[in-house]
Amino acid sequence: MAFDLSARLAERRAADLYRQRPLLESPQGPQVVVDGQPLLAFCNNDYLGLANHPDVVAAWRAGAERWGVGGGASHLVIGHSGPHHALELALAELTGRPRALLFSTGYMANLGAVTALVGQGDTVLQDRLNHASLLDAGLLSGARFSRYLHNDPVSLANRLEKATGNTLVVTDGVFSMDGDIADLPALAQAARAKGAWLMVDDAHGFGPLGANGAGIVEHYGLGIDDVPVLVGTLGKAFGTAGAFVAGSDDLIEAMVQFARPYIYTTSQPPALACATLKSLELLRSEHWRREHLGALIRQFRQGAEQIGLQLMDSFTPIQPILIGDAGRAVRLSQMLRERGLMVTAIRPPTVPAGSARLRVTLSAAHSETQVQLLLNALADCYPLLEPSNA
Ligand SMILES: Cc1ncc(COP(=O)(O)O)c(C=O)c1O
């Protein structure tokens, strides 16, 4: 039989890599109901606690009253409405770039940006640990595609020596499964020295990083010459959905002309853009969210180190606990679940083989008491985990 799907599924199950979708029966937040069970969750990307903020919900509702619920058409036909345009102006201002362009998802923004910029005869160089959407975009672009060692400007420089055609260097800002941040000043310097462009996907940096939440470029104080192509997503710290590419006027015009995932899709609902405009306002102005989040991150790291957990080199809200074996990671996640906590086990192929982990994410919506509950549960459960065979 040509499609032996049951064999493939059985193989995945046997390797402890089978994925299931937990059914969320409440809004996002620290306290959720999943598959009928109330749980304290540490696994969403709602870093600033805006996904269920009453003002954002109210802005969405008012937007729906004023603009209806559907985008209605693609941006180039008649789907580009007032709220989309206002949000693009606000995102350009946040990023300090001349313009920004709204996409329906981060996956599509990455696919659109990379494939609009490079093709056959060109080169795309990516960090080994980049998000799947960037790696897929590189493969689909038709450009020569090579991955440099994680966050290693020397490895990048070696590959730049062999690059041909227009060359795009692509990196996550905050690495989504590790929580560490890209060494952007060094990567930008290596790229500029060879006339290459640097594209940064700062999906997890907007909100938590930078004095005003403008992400990794604000954190490092880098301008448009260092990072000509900047991507952000709106489904994480912004608490809504969608994504954007920010850059020069020519870059955005090129996206409008050539980025197929921008051109051939219906615009996002305008009411969603109204909600994001509100969350953007909160993200910029409510500094206490970043400060509280920072305090929780320090609290978690200190407590986890005392328990002897293997943390990663991260000061961001992504605080993975490295376990190694996929089965052990799943069992630790299950033990926590039995104690009323939800922390997802992340396994290959999302992370390299042998580096399964619990991906703890913290949010400004968490309290210190809730973080302490997580630490207490980890202190109880971790020693019960059978040792690794490796
Ligand atoms: C680094 C990174 N880029 C892009 C995406 C895709 O964004 P979206 O969920 O909006 O498609 C994600 C996660 O979803 C991500 O972690």
Side-chain angles (χ1 to χ4, degrees), residues 45 47 104-110 130-134 172-177 201-204 231-236 241-243 359:
N45 302 314
Y47 303 124
S104 296
T105 69
Y107 196 106
M108 291 165 78
N110 284 336
N130 272 355
H131 188 258
S133 56
L134 294 169
D172 279 18
V174 175
F175 287 89
S176 54
M177 296 299 137
D201 170 4
D202 203 20
H204 300 271
V231 176
T233 67
L234 304 171
K236 300 179 181 8
R359 181 175 180 268

Side-chain angles (χ1 to χ4, degrees), residues 151-348:
N151 217 357
D152 185 341
V154 176
S155 169
L156 169 63
N158 290 337
R159 279 166 177 74
L160 280 165
E161 289 297 331
K162 297 178 211 127
T164 53
N166 288 326
T167 302
L168 190 64
V169 175
V170 186
T171 182
D172 279 18
V174 175
F175 287 89
S176 54
M177 296 299 137
D178 294 53
D180 57 336
I181 73 168
D183 182 359
L184 281 197
L187 297 173
Q189 196 183 23
R192 282 178 75 175
K194 288 288 165 192
W197 271 13
L198 178 59
M199 166 171 160
V200 176
D201 170 4
D202 203 20
H204 300 271
F206 280 101
L209 293 189
N212 300 294
I216 192 166
V217 290
E218 187 182 33
H219 171 81
Y220 282 124
L222 295 177
I224 192 165
D225 292 342
D226 301 299
V227 181
V229 189
L230 180 58
V231 176
T233 67
L234 304 171
K236 300 179 181 8
F238 285 85
T240 57
F244 62 91
V245 176
S248 68
D249 196 37
D250 277 355
L251 177 81
I252 299 307
E253 278 307 309
M255 294 294 134
V256 173
Q257 304 304 321
F258 307 123
R260 293 166 67 88
Y262 179 76
I263 300 164
Y264 297 108
T265 198
T266 302
S267 64
Q268 62 169 232
L272 172 57
C274 296
T276 307
L277 271 165
K278 176 50 76 177
S279 71
L280 171 53
E281 193 186 307
L282 297 171
L283 175 145
R284 292 187 81 168
S285 62
E286 296 199 342
H287 295 287
W288 66 264
R289 291 180 187 273
R290 266 178 292 283
E291 284 155 18
H292 176 56
L293 182 58
L296 295 180
I297 293 167
R298 287 190 291 278
Q299 180 194 352
F300 176 76
R301 285 190 69 86
Q302 261 175 20
E305 273 159 17
Q306 275 166 16
I307 301 168
L309 301 174
Q310 194 175 342
L311 295 180
M312 302 184 88
D313 182 18
S314 162
F315 65 85
T316 70
I318 303 169
Q319 290 292 331
I321 302 169
L322 193 62
I323 303 294
D325 176 68
R328 293 177 82 230
V330 171
R331 281 189 285 286
L332 183 55
S333 173
Q334 278 164 350
M335 282 192 254
L336 291 172
R337 180 115 177 213
E338 281 152 22
R339 283 166 174 75
L341 287 126
M342 182 154 176
V343 186
T344 315
I346 305 285
R347 295 163 284 167

